[in-house]
């Protein structure tokens, strides 16, 4: 059983990001018609867990070690420039409007602690940059998972998959325990223990793929019927009222992430399949490539385009058009130049061009009042 060679960049991954951000944007505009679109964040987390782990394992294979310094520098260069521009601009607007807790929010954003601030409402119910909670979860994963992965590779390589799945189980069990104790869904929703399952299900998929899929398994995953079924189930799940569904947070997020991993591996194993080709269409990949900027700017644009006379469809189109324009500027003026600098910290001989998706595409998940929360995306 040979290790599977993963291409440096898979266009269909951008297609998955595009699906995630579209679902979340729709559910924020009209939660009644797409109440489960918030699971776009978990689609993103599964993809991120897969890609981060895949890149680390690839580096370990090539060099027998992982440079944590270079890894963290690459993450900073990918995330920090666009985030700082966003935080400064939105904080400036908030201060001009005399918004409460503007500086508190700024601090929570740049320290990647917004998930805890949101969970325990440390700055109140309504925040200008509350949607960055998912970016905080992602950075907490980036901080801890590489350390644990390196430790397991060096001292307990045979336990790598078992330890990863055990951590998935621990995350799900902790959520179940909190539910049994009567902890509010609002708190459970933002905690990293709730979101560790989709991240590590993605990581487990990368480990399995890195070790090499058995021929029968590779053929099964490459089947177009598997991809269509997984995509259909993910789409159907978006229409489920997940906010009030305890099972979704208890175990469903792991199942949802596993469906995402099936699509990820399918895109690699069957690059010419109909599903892969649809996910790789230029308009779709354009949106996926700019998903980080869409993540950052979609919320403030949503506030600006909101109005009592707008239909959900018109509100969505106005939000999408304005965010797309800002995202293109962010990509050209901020992100692309930072990515050029980032290549200096990519180790020679190792293709690291398969950019892990930060909470660009799915992490715009800030529950609305219609989903059972008192908080508003303002």
């Amino acid at each position: 059983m040979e290790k599977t060679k993963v291409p440096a960049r898979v266009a269909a991954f951008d297609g998955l990001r595009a699906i995630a951000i579209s679902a979340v944007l729709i559910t924020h505009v009209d939660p009644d018609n797409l109440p489960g679109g918030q699971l776009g964040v978990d689609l993103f987390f599964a993809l991120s867990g897969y890609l981060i782990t895949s890149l680390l394992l690839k580096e370990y294979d090539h060099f027998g070690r992982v440079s944590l310094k270079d890894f963290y520098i690459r993450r900073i260069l990918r995330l920090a420039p666009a985030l700082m521009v966003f935080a400064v601009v939105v904080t400036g607007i908030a201060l001009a409007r005399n918004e409460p807790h503007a500086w508190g929010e700024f601090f929570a954003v740049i320290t990647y602690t917004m998930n805890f601030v949101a969970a325990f409402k440390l700055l109140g119910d309504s925040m200008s940059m509350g949607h960055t909670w998912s970016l905080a979860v992602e950075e907490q994963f980036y901080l801890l998972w590489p350390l644990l992965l390196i430790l397991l590779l060096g001292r307990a390589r045979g336990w790598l998959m078992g330890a990863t799945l055990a951590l998935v189980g621990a995350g799900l069990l902790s959520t179940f325990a909190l539910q049994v104790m009567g902890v509010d869904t609002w708190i459970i929703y933002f905690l990293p223990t709730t979101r560790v399952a989709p991240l590590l299900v993605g990581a487990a998929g990368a480990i399995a793929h890195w070790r090499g899929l058995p021929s029968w398994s590779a053929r099964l995953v490459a089947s177009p019927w598997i991809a269509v079924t997984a995509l259909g189930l993910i789409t159907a799940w978006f229409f489920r009222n997940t906010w009030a569904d305890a099972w979704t947070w208890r175990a469903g997020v792991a199942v949802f992430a596993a469906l995402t991993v099936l699509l990820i591996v399918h895109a690699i194993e069957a690059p010419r399949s109909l599903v892969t080709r649809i996910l790789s269409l230029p308009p779709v990949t354009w949106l996926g490539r700019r998903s980080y900027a869409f993540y950052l700017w979609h919320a403030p644009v949503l506030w600006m385009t909101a109005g009592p006379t707008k239909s959900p469809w018109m509100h969505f189109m106005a939000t999408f058009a304005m965010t797309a324009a800002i995202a293109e500027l962010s990509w050209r003026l901020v992100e692309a130049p930072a990515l050029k600098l980032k290549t200096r910290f990519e180790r020679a001989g190792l293709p690291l061009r398969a950019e892990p998706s930060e909470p660009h595409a799915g992490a715009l998940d800030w529950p609305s009042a219609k989903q059972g929360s008192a908080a508003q995306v303002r």
Side-chain angles (χ1 to χ4, degrees):
M1 186 169 60
E2 296 182 357
K3 292 182 178 180
T4 305
K5 292 183 179 180
V6 180
R9 183 164 191 90
V10 180
F13 292 173
D14 285 325
L16 292 174
R17 297 181 182 112
I19 290 174
I21 195 171
S22 297
V24 175
L25 184 55
I26 292 170
T27 202
H28 281 174
V29 173
D30 190 12
D32 289 337
N33 286 324
L34 200 71
Q38 57 187 295
L39 282 176
V41 67
D42 298 291
L43 191 159
F44 155 74
F45 279 149
L47 178 59
S48 185
Y50 180 96
L51 287 173
I52 280 292
T53 306
S54 181
L55 292 175
L56 291 170
L57 291 173
K58 188 184 296 184
E59 183 173 352
Y60 183 84
D61 261 354
H62 275 71
F63 301 105
R65 61 182 294 272
V66 173
S67 172
L68 284 174
K69 182 191 75 172
D70 287 352
F71 171 80
Y72 291 129
I73 290 174
R74 291 195 301 266
R75 293 297 85 220
I76 290 170
L77 289 173
R78 178 65 186 100
L79 293 170
L83 179 68
M84 288 304 299
V85 170
F86 163 81
V88 168
V89 170
V90 176
T91 300
I93 294 172
L95 290 171
R97 296 173 58 183
N98 294 317
E99 295 279 353
H101 311 303
W103 286 116
E105 285 192 62
F106 180 81
F107 181 78
V109 170
I110 64 173
T111 58
Y112 295 105
T113 55
M114 185 62 81
N115 57 327
F116 293 109
V117 170
F120 300 105
K121 300 183 180 180
L122 300 180
L123 298 176
D125 284 339
S126 186
M127 294 186 292
S128 301
M129 295 184 284
H131 63 294
T132 61
W133 73 269
S134 47
L135 199 63
V137 171
E138 186 71 11
E139 290 307 302
Q140 290 154 19
F141 175 74
Y142 286 162
L143 180 64
L144 298 176
W145 174 240
L147 297 172
L148 180 57
L149 182 64
I150 292 169
L151 178 65
L152 290 170
L153 285 170
R155 300 189 178 183
R157 189 166 178 171
W159 292 90
L160 182 58
M161 179 63 82
T164 304
L165 295 177
L167 288 172
V168 172
L172 297 176
L173 185 60
S174 69
T175 299
F176 175 73
L178 291 173
Q179 289 175 334
V180 170
M181 290 187 293
V183 176
D184 191 272
T185 301
W186 176 262
I187 295 175
I188 293 173
Y189 185 90
F190 294 107
L191 293 180
T193 50
T194 304
R195 304 297 173 164
V196 73
L199 283 160
L200 288 178
V201 166
I207 293 167
H209 214 189
W210 170 68
R211 286 180 168 177
L213 299 176
S215 57
W216 66 268
S217 178
R219 287 195 300 270
L220 181 65
V221 174
S223 166
W225 295 109
I226 290 292
V228 169
T229 300
L231 189 58
L233 289 173
I234 285 173
T235 303
W237 217 322
F238 287 149
F239 289 91
R240 182 182 179 89
N241 184 10
T242 54
W243 178 254
D245 180 14
W247 180 83
T248 292
W249 312 114
R250 186 180 304 166
V253 286
V255 177
F256 187 90
L259 294 172
T260 302
V261 170
L262 281 176
L263 287 174
I264 292 170
V265 180
H266 175 84
I268 295 169
E269 297 291 336
R272 294 182 177 83
S273 78
L274 178 61
V275 170
T276 304
R277 282 185 285 137
I278 290 174
L279 291 174
S280 304
L281 290 172
V284 180
T285 58
W286 178 91
L287 176 58
R289 283 286 276 174
R290 288 149 183 80
S291 55
Y292 185 31
F294 263 86
Y295 158 65
L296 291 173
W297 292 100
H298 111 286
V301 170
L302 196 61
W303 318 325
M304 290 186 290
T305 56
T309 60
K310 282 189 172 67
S311 70
W313 173 247
M314 291 298 295
H315 192 190
F316 173 81
M317 293 303 295
T319 302
F320 185 91
M322 290 183 64
T323 307
I326 297 173
E328 183 65 21
L329 288 174
S330 176
W331 174 257
R332 291 178 179 271
L333 301 180
V334 181
E335 295 172 70
L339 286 175
K340 290 181 180 179
L341 179 60
K342 173 176 166 286
T343 59
R344 298 182 183 181
F345 299 93
E346 295 175 357
R347 302 181 69 176
L350 179 61
L352 292 174
R353 304 289 185 176
E355 275 301 311
S357 107
E358 290 76 25
H360 309 174
L364 316 177
D365 188 27
W366 189 244
S368 71
K370 293 184 179 180
Q371 293 170 316
S373 166
Q376 301 288 331
V377 180
R378 298 190 299 110

